[in-house]
Amino acid sequence: MNIVYVAVLSIVLLLASYFIGGTYTIVPVSNANAVGTFVMNRYTGRVWLCNVNVCRDVPNQMPGQAQAN
């Protein structure tokens, strides 16, 4: 019977973290040349760069990929 209480408590904690923390994380851009904020979906990993007028999708970089300038 204790395993049922642990399972219910686990589900309640996960739901609480979802509702308290939200789906999106907002991070200000640290680059002096860029203006805006990064918005990241915590569950899918999608990232957008947003400013006052528009948000654009930022492609995901795999760890082994080099970034071209």
Side-chain angles (χ1 to χ4, degrees):
M1 193 56 122
N2 289 337
I3 191 106
V4 173
Y5 292 126
V6 171
V8 169
L9 181 62
S10 299
I11 291 171
V12 168
L13 286 174
L14 286 173
L15 288 174
S17 68
Y18 173 77
F19 288 117
I20 292 170
T23 303
Y24 298 99
T25 300
I26 298 173
V27 180
V29 174
S30 61
N31 185 352
N33 296 328
V35 176
T37 56
F38 285 114
V39 178
M40 184 180 89
N41 186 321
R42 297 164 92 189
Y43 301 104
T44 64
R46 283 190 69 188
V47 178
W48 298 271
L49 178 61
C50 299
N51 61 21
V52 176
N53 298 323
V54 68
C55 287
R56 64 180 175 91
D57 195 32
V58 176
N60 289 339
Q61 295 288 324
M62 298 301 287
Q65 291 178 337
Q67 193 165 3
N69 288 329

